[in-house]
Amino acid sequence: MTEIDKSHQIINRTLKISSVVQNLRHQFSDLNDEHLAYAQKIGIKPIADTKDILNSSIPIKEIMSCENYFVDKLSHSHPFLVYEAANLLDTIGAKFNTKLAIQNGGKYRLKVTSLLRTRESVNRLQRGNVNSTDNSAHLYGTTFDISYAKFYETPGNLIKHTDEQLKNLLAEVLIELRDEGKCLVKYEKKQGCFHITATGK
């Protein structure tokens, strides 16, 4: 059902979500050891701090906001990924935007909240997050987090959706890619994000 605020021409619209989206905590439950196995296979060797980022033996790509996603302010990570993970992030963003456009779904982008971590940034994170682990897949440049609690809304957007609807649309994309063997996904409840690792496939 569509409701229109005539004074602002704002349209509240409901997205159609595939029936494959069900219990996300159950569907996205890949364990840290599984993420690490792929991270160690295709990722960089963990680095100590920021000065070593560009000296990696495996090529890495700088990740910047674009039409497919918005990179949030990063407090405990750095905007870099190995190319396999960068390509996966692009694919996720493009598929999300395509699904949104098919439904005339307004102007939203995914919000990327964490990327490559160094040993130093993991240590800082652990001081405030007891759930953080020493051997995080983020250390290998293969892993990134996408918020499911908040999405970037382009200024002037008039077609509105709830974050829950957008979350389920993103989940639809991730289920498809996970079923193709292209990624592992963990539903992070406390952090409000999907923790995603590229498999390189």
Side-chain angles (χ1 to χ4, degrees):
M1 181 178 294
T2 299
E3 298 178 1
I4 300 178
D5 179 342
K6 292 184 178 179
S7 62
H8 297 90
Q9 294 299 302
I10 291 175
I11 301 173
N12 295 310
R13 180 171 290 148
T14 299
L15 294 169
K16 295 179 181 179
I17 305 298
S18 169
S19 61
V20 299
V21 178
Q22 298 175 11
N23 185 330
L24 298 183
R25 291 185 68 182
H26 174 73
Q27 289 177 287
F28 297 133
S29 57
D30 295 319
L31 300 176
N32 186 56
D33 286 348
E34 296 174 292
H35 285 262
L36 279 172
Y38 280 104
Q40 292 167 344
K41 181 179 180 180
I42 68 171
I44 66 172
K45 182 179 179 180
I47 55 181
D49 51 41
T50 54
K51 70 177 184 295
D52 297 321
I53 287 176
L54 296 180
N55 295 325
S56 168
S57 60
I58 295 176
I60 57 176
K61 180 179 180 180
E62 185 173 7
I63 305 300
M64 298 180 288
S65 296
C66 61
E67 62 181 7
N68 286 334
Y69 51 80
F70 174 81
V71 179
D72 203 9
K73 183 178 180 181
L74 303 175
S75 58
H76 294 92
S77 68
H78 307 278
F80 296 91
L81 291 172
V82 298
Y83 276 79
E84 292 91 338
N87 291 339
L88 175 65
L89 176 57
D90 284 337
T91 298
I92 293 170
K95 283 182 173 290
F96 176 84
N97 288 346
T98 297
K99 286 180 179 288
L100 199 59
I102 288 172
Q103 297 193 47
N104 192 20
K107 298 178 181 178
Y108 292 88
R109 283 185 286 167
L110 304 179
K111 184 175 285 189
V112 181
T113 56
S114 186
L115 295 154
L116 171 68
R117 293 178 188 162
T118 61
R119 293 290 188 195
E120 185 272 336
S121 61
V122 166
N123 290 337
R124 282 192 293 110
L125 181 61
Q126 287 181 314
R127 294 178 198 139
N129 182 356
V130 295
N131 294 318
S132 179
T133 177
D134 283 329
N135 201 13
S136 167
H138 283 282
L139 288 165
Y140 298 86
T142 58
T143 303
F144 49 89
D145 295 343
I146 297 178
S147 173
Y148 62 67
K150 291 293 181 182
F151 292 77
Y152 181 83
E153 183 178 2
T154 302
N157 176 51
L158 296 177
I159 300 177
K160 306 292 184 176
H161 302 290
T162 66
D163 289 326
E164 185 69 15
Q165 291 174 337
L166 295 167
K167 167 186 173 180
N168 288 333
L169 191 68
L170 170 57
E172 189 177 305
V173 172
L174 295 178
I175 289 168
E176 291 171 0
L177 291 172
R178 188 179 180 280
D179 286 348
E180 293 172 10
K182 294 184 178 179
C183 63
L184 298 180
V185 185
K186 182 74 168 65
Y187 182 92
E188 298 283 3
K189 184 178 180 181
K190 290 186 177 180
Q191 282 69 45
C193 70
F194 292 116
H195 175 77
I196 304 162
T197 295
T199 63
K201 297 180 180 179

